Amino acid sequence: QVQLVESGGGLVQAGGSLRLSCAASGRTFSRYHMAWFRQVPGKERRFVAAITWRAGRSNYADSVKGRFTISRDNAKNTVYLQMNSLTPEDTAVYYCAAVKGSDYDSDVPRAYESAYDYWGQGTQVTVSS
């Protein structure tokens, strides 16, 4: 079991930056694959970025490559999403997700929603033009 709490969302002008944080409970955070997804009203939740537990390999949606960076600090049980050059199309509720990893999995970033077992409640990001 792991509990996830997102923070850092808010209102920002186009071209600005935000850093989201996801704080996790438990003692085995370092063995969880982590990800960020986002959702706008009336649409499906979409993949944003993921990072694996073993080597910290990352993957990004095409729409955010070069602008967003996912990272993790295992000592703080926290995963981050640094968002730069924000546009109104980035406006959404951002969710943190986690799934337990092992020494035997592929250490490939998971980019699909069904791979994750645990979810935070979300944090709103609004980008104005």
Side-chain angles (χ1 to χ4, degrees):
Q1 294 283 346
V2 61
Q3 307 247 312
L4 307 174
V5 180
E6 303 97 334
S7 63
L11 177 64
V12 64
Q13 290 184 308
S17 299
L18 285 173
R19 188 179 74 162
L20 306 183
S21 298
C22 175
S25 65
R27 300 179 180 179
T28 59
F29 172 79
S30 64
R31 286 190 174 263
Y32 281 81
H33 302 290
M34 305 296 296
W36 290 94
F37 290 76
R38 64 187 182 187
Q39 186 174 32
V40 299
K43 294 189 176 182
E44 295 181 330
R45 193 150 52 185
R46 302 290 298 274
F47 171 76
V48 176
I51 187 166
T52 63
W53 79 268
R54 188 184 297 121
R57 301 184 189 278
S58 59
N59 189 31
Y60 300 91
D62 288 342
S63 60
V64 306
K65 286 181 179 178
R67 300 189 298 120
F68 290 11
T69 302
I70 188 170
S71 62
R72 65 192 299 162
D73 186 338
N74 291 337
K76 296 182 178 179
N77 282 10
T78 302
V79 63
Y80 304 96
L81 185 68
Q82 178 66 46
M83 306 185 294
N84 299 325
S85 301
L86 287 163
T87 74
E89 287 70 40
D90 296 315
T91 296
V93 176
Y94 283 70
Y95 295 90
C96 179
V99 64
K100 189 176 182 180
S102 75
D103 292 334
Y104 306 103
D105 66 32
S106 63
D107 203 51
V108 174
R110 280 83 166 144
Y112 45 97
E113 183 175 0
S114 62
Y116 296 92
D117 295 325
Y118 307 101
W119 296 84
Q121 65 180 2
T123 185
Q124 176 71 48
V125 172
T126 302
V127 184
S128 65
S129 60

